[in-house]
Structure formats: structure tokens, C-alpha cells
Amino acid sequence: KNQVEQSPQSLIILEGKNCTLQCNYTVSPFSNLRWYKQDTGRGPVSLTIMTFSENTKSNGRYTATLDADTKQSSLHITASQLSDSASYICVVSGNTGRRALTFGSGTRLQVQP
Amino acid sequence: DAGVIQSPRHEVTEMGQEVTLRCKPISGHDYLFWYRQTMMRGLELLIYFNNNVPIDDSGMPEDRFSAKMPNASFSTLKIQPSEPRDSAVYFCASNLGGSASYEQYFGPGTRLTVT
């Protein structure tokens, strides 16, 4: 069964600190992995998307890594800001069809001043 | 571009009533998705269309749910009759590309409360 597991479930950090969110998946075959940021009351917004051949991708202070061999990904946030407070959702895509999209349950990040 | 547009943003209805949620995808996108998000189950894909044709509706929970896409710029998700367990945020998303796994752009969602 295709699954995406994220950890931690929630995280509180102080403004300016770094943090790393984890995503482990069992989706097969693999097409790509995405990280979404979802602010409270809004739709998810894509941060990064990585294919099998990519092992790191950055978007400003967000850096995602992918290890396709171990089926693990991480999202590193550098110098956190209050606006980083949100849920971060890992989504793994396989082939076309419904099984193409498997969602993690998300990590709720709270950045405190 | 205005992005994906959904209406209404909030809907409160009584159990047994019909509810219709609306979505306008980004112009030119050929895939449209309907999702449901709850605290317990997270994001769930309900159905998606390609070029206005439903491709996979296996995520639609029951016969009470139906979705249509009469043209490239409009889709509806209907629940009839509604039940309290249908309370959730419903998102519409669209993308352009050769498969359903390309990057998707989400609308702001419709928060549905069924009392």
C-alpha cells in the first residue's frame, strides 16, 4: 500500500532558528515528490517538486532533499520567520491515475518570537 | 491570472439539504481536481478531470457525491443529501501538463459545515 509518513506531527521553534521536517514514503513506482506549505485557512502552495534524479532543490530559505534509495525526503527551513508558521505537506506522485498522488498528514510548524 | 477560484468560501447548511460547490480553474489548464480536507483524514483526492472528462472518481465517498465539468472553465461538486460527516474544507486544484502528477495549483477552498 502506498503511504507517506511525516514527522514530527507538530513542531515549535523560535524565530531565527533552523528546522528540518521529515517525509518517508513507500509509493512505487515513483515519479516525483513535492512539498506544500499550507497557511491556516488557505489552499496548499507548492514549495518544491523533485523527480527521481534530483536530490536537492532550494526555494529561498526552503531546501528539500530526496534520497530515492531510502525513500526519504526532508525539508529544511533556514532562519525561520513568523510567516513560516503553517502546515507542511509532503506529496508523492507515482504513475497516472488515482494512485498518482499520496499525501502525508503534514507537520504543523509554529514559529514563536 | 487570478488563480483557481472557488465559491462559496463558506457554506453552512442543514442535514439533508443539497450543496453545490463551484470551481473555476486557471485558464488553459487541462486537469482539474477536487479534494476534501479534514483534521482526521488530511487531504483526500475525490475526483479529477482531464479535458473536462472524469478520469478517476474512485475517491468519491458515496453516491451522494457527484461532480461535473461542463466546460474547460467550470466545475461543480454536488452533495445530495448532505450529512454532518461531510463537514470539511473542499479544495479545487488545476494543472497543465501531460499527467495528473504535474504541479497543481490550489484554490482557497470552501469550508462546508453541515448541521
Side-chain angles (χ1 to χ4, degrees), chain A residues 1-50:
Chain A
K1 179 182 178 183
N2 290 336
Q3 284 188 315
V4 175
E5 295 186 355
Q6 293 187 242
S7 62
Q9 195 171 20
S10 62
L11 182 63
I12 300 174
I13 62 174
L14 293 176
E15 186 179 12
K17 298 296 185 182
N18 303 335
C19 68
T20 300
L21 313 181
Q22 299 291 343
C23 173
N24 297 337
Y25 62 93
T26 59
V27 176
S28 182
F30 174 86
S31 175
N32 61 68
L33 183 146
R34 320 168 201 180
W35 284 93
Y36 282 91
K37 177 187 179 188
Q38 185 176 20
D39 292 316
T40 301
R42 311 193 76 161
V45 174
S46 179
L47 293 175
T48 65
I49 178 169
M50 291 183 291

Side-chain angles (χ1 to χ4, degrees), chain B residues 2-79:
Chain B
V4 176
I5 300 172
Q6 292 187 246
S7 65
R9 292 295 310 278
H10 303 273
E11 178 79 37
V12 180
T13 190
E14 292 183 348
M15 182 174 62
Q17 297 298 307
E18 177 181 295
V19 176
T20 299
L21 312 181
R22 298 174 175 79
C23 174
K24 176 179 169 57
I26 293 173
S27 177
H29 282 190
D30 55 354
Y31 280 86
L32 182 140
F33 306 78
W34 281 102
Y35 293 91
R36 178 172 67 177
Q37 186 176 39
T38 61
M39 288 293 293
M40 290 296 296
R41 301 172 68 95
L43 265 171
E44 300 175 280
L45 177 62
L46 300 177
I47 184 172
Y48 76 90
F49 297 82
N50 177 219
N51 291 323
N52 313 337
V53 176
I55 301 301
D56 189 334
D57 65 354
S58 56
M60 297 285 263
E62 299 171 33
D63 291 343
R64 298 184 296 106
F65 286 69
S66 62
K68 295 182 180 180
M69 192 166 185
N71 57 63
S73 59
F74 184 67
S75 177
T76 60
L77 178 66
K78 185 176 293 186
I79 308 173

Side-chain angles (χ1 to χ4, degrees), chain A residues 62-80:
Chain A
Y62 300 100
T63 299
T65 65
L66 173 65
D67 186 334
D69 292 330
T70 62
K71 298 187 177 180
Q72 296 179 326
S73 176
S74 65
L75 180 69
H76 186 75
I77 303 175
T78 303
S80 60

Side-chain angles (χ1 to χ4, degrees), chain A residues 38-108:
Chain A
Q38 185 176 20
D39 292 316
T40 301
R42 311 193 76 161
V45 174
S46 179
L47 293 175
T48 65
I49 178 169
M50 291 183 291
T51 60
F52 183 89
S53 60
E54 298 173 296
N55 54 26
T56 187
K57 183 167 280 190
S58 292
N59 179 358
R61 294 178 297 101
Y62 300 100
T63 299
T65 65
L66 173 65
D67 186 334
D69 292 330
T70 62
K71 298 187 177 180
Q72 296 179 326
S73 176
S74 65
L75 180 69
H76 186 75
I77 303 175
T78 303
S80 60
Q81 300 177 358
L82 297 179
S83 59
D84 293 330
S85 296
S87 289
Y88 292 84
I89 303 171
C90 176
V91 183
V92 181
S93 295
N95 287 329
T96 56
R98 184 172 187 273
R99 290 174 297 166
L101 301 168
T102 306
F103 292 83
S105 57
T107 292
R108 178 69 192 171

